[in-house]
């Protein structure tokens, strides 16, 4: 066998993504916030681009008819309440008070403490975790401040007396016990249950607890109800994070003529090409900077075209979803039917990957609330002796309603729920019922039972 170098030509066919196509794909799959960041970067890197936040981007007005008429609308600035002048920033209330600041303000009012004791308390406050619990070794702290352990324990008790009640606890059990001790209607049985049987309480082993304390199951149930009024996370309303708003990418509104679809561009900046550079290229036929400017103008034009294509695709996909899920937009969740990406891709003659990108990280405001566009793509279950199917989302909604209306003394088992669906013509296994119930965060029948 001869080993060596050889020079030859070979023809091959392969799919290649041009930079322009890659950019269009990225623009389509960006969420609203990602798109805004992307456009800001493009405006920074491309000197011929001008960016403005005063007016919305120009949009497309498209009209089509289906079962009920679907109408396209030009994009506009719009809030959830339909107010065209709505600005979520103006309606956002920010509390700058943190847990640490709240506690330190109370500490400053404790005139009975000396400066050294306040220093210890400041140290303890600084070591609280996100749940307001104090996971600090008492002996190490005493050694750190060169004081007896008893003094550190006294400071911890003072910390636990501050608002909110439960702050400074060692763990969840300690937090609930502190709240029980401070409660004006002190429940002795509830105190014993929290202290010794919190796990049994979570698993609703009421009979076991009743036997151990020689009380009735009903008394355990009442103590459980009382415990549930306590706050396991008393510091949850203190946060350093700002509220994150979800901005709908598309609005669907019902009117007399059908449905009005609005692609939302109110949050996106307006991009345009600076006319000075266009004129410069047109006037100066020979100029060292001409090729440089012309290249950036071409990039800007491709970007604007990509934004227009994104809007058109998003509109078409939404219109097809509204058409396919017409019952949902008329009735709500119970009208949702099974639908796949393939159904929409075949309808629009687009690739499934395009539909996937168009619906990824996108939100739609409907007459029945705010949803992810991906929520409309669900699997289905066949009905008995019928070609019709029901979506998994619809099944989950029915499970939620059935359990909400059940007899709490004799709650529905998964098998009973299975029989109810079969009686209504929907074939579903007990295993599937259990999976959907768990997805909804609903415990089993034994844990839902009341005595």
């Amino acid at each position: 066998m001869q080993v060596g170098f050889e020079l030859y030509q070979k023809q091959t066919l392969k799919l290649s993504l041009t930079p322009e196509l890659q950019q269009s794909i990225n623009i389509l799959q960006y969420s609203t916030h990602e798109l805004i960041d992307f456009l800001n970067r493009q405006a920074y890197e491309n000197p011929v681009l001008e960016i403005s936040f005063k007016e919305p981007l120009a949009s497309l007005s498209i009209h089509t008819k289906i079962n009920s008429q679907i109408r396209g609308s030009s994009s506009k600035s719009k809030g959830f309440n339909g107010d065209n002048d709505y600005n979520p920033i103006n309606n956002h209330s920010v509390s700058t008070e943190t847990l640490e600041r709240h506690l330190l303000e109370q500490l400053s009012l404790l005139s009975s403490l000396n400066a050294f004791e306040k220093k210890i308390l400041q140290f303890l406050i600084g070591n609280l975790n996100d749940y307001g619990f104090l996971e600090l070794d008492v002996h190490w702290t005493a050694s750190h401040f060169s004081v007896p352990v008893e003094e550190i324990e006294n400071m911890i008790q003072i910390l636990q007396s501050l608002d909110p009640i439960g702050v400074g606890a060692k763990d969840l059990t300690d937090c609930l016990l502190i709240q029980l001790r401070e409660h004006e209607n002190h429940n002795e049985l509830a105190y014993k249950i929290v202290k010794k049987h919190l796990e049994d309480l979570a698993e609703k082993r009421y009979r076991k607890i009743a036997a151990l304390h020689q009380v009735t199951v009903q008394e355990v149930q009442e103590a459980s109800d009382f415990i549930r009024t306590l706050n396991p996370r008393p510091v949850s309303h203190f946060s350093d994070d700002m509220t994150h708003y979800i901005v709908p990418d598309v609005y669907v509104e019902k009117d007399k003529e059908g449905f009005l679809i609005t692609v939302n561009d109110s949050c996106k900046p307006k991009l345009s090409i600076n006319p000075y550079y266009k004129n410069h290229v047109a006037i100066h036929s020979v100029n060292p900077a001409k090729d440089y400017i012309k290249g950036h103008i071409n990039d800007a034009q491709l970007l604007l075209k990509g934004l227009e294509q994104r809007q058109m695709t998003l509109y078409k996909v939404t219109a097809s979803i509204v058409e396919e899920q017409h019952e949902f937009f008329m009735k709500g969740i119970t009208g949702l039917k099974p639908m796949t990406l393939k159904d929409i891709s075949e309808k629009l003659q687009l690739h499934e990957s395009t539909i996937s990108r168009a619906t990824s990280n996108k939100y739609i405001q409907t007459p029945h609330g705010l949803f992810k566009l991906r929520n409309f793509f669900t699997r289905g279950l066949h009905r008995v002796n019928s070609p019709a199917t029901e979506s998994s989302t619809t099944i989950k909604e029915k499970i939620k309603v059935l359990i909400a209306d059940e007899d709490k003394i004799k709650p529905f088992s998964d098998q009973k729920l299975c029989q109810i669906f079969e009686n209504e013509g929907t074939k579903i296994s007990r295993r599937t019922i259990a999976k959907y119930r768990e997805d909804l965060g609903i415990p089993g029948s034994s844990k839902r039972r009341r005595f």
Side-chain angles (χ1 to χ4, degrees), residues 285-299:
S285 57
V286 179
N287 190 299
K290 179 179 179 180
D291 292 339
Y292 172 82
I293 296 173
K294 192 173 181 180
H296 280 295
I297 289 176
N298 289 337
D299 291 341

Side-chain angles (χ1 to χ4, degrees), residues 311-360:
Q311 187 175 8
M312 174 70 80
T313 303
L314 187 55
Y315 175 87
K316 287 181 177 179
V317 170
T318 304
S320 295
I321 291 174
V322 174
E323 182 177 356
E324 290 294 316
Q325 297 288 1
H326 181 257
E327 289 299 310
F328 164 83
F329 288 92
M330 294 296 293
K331 301 178 182 178
I333 290 291
T334 55
L336 194 65
K337 72 175 187 179
M339 185 178 71
T340 63
L341 294 172
K342 186 177 180 181
D343 295 332
I344 301 298
S345 69
E346 290 178 349
K347 188 178 182 66
L348 296 177
Q349 297 297 304
L350 294 172
H351 197 274
E352 282 186 47
S353 63
T354 302
I355 307 300
S356 176
R357 291 186 180 98
T359 56
S360 177

Side-chain angles (χ1 to χ4, degrees), residues 413-422 428-430 433:
S413 64
D414 292 339
Q415 186 60 44
K416 179 62 178 176
L417 290 171
C418 182
Q419 291 174 359
I420 292 173
F421 278 101
E422 287 185 358
I428 184 171
S429 67
R430 184 197 61 79
I433 289 285

Side-chain angles (χ1 to χ4, degrees), residues 165 178-187 226 229-230:
I165 300 300
I178 292 170
Q179 294 180 58
L180 283 170
R181 286 195 295 265
E182 295 293 329
H183 205 284
E184 56 182 9
N185 297 320
H186 185 69
N187 188 310
F226 180 73
T229 63
L230 306 177

Side-chain angles (χ1 to χ4, degrees), residues 130-142:
D130 293 338
Y131 296 95
F133 297 158
L134 184 63
E135 299 173 340
L136 200 64
D137 184 80
V138 178
H139 295 278
W140 179 89
T141 308

Side-chain angles (χ1 to χ4, degrees), residues 63 71 196 398 443:
H63 298 267
R71 296 182 292 118
K196 299 180 180 179
K398 288 184 177 179

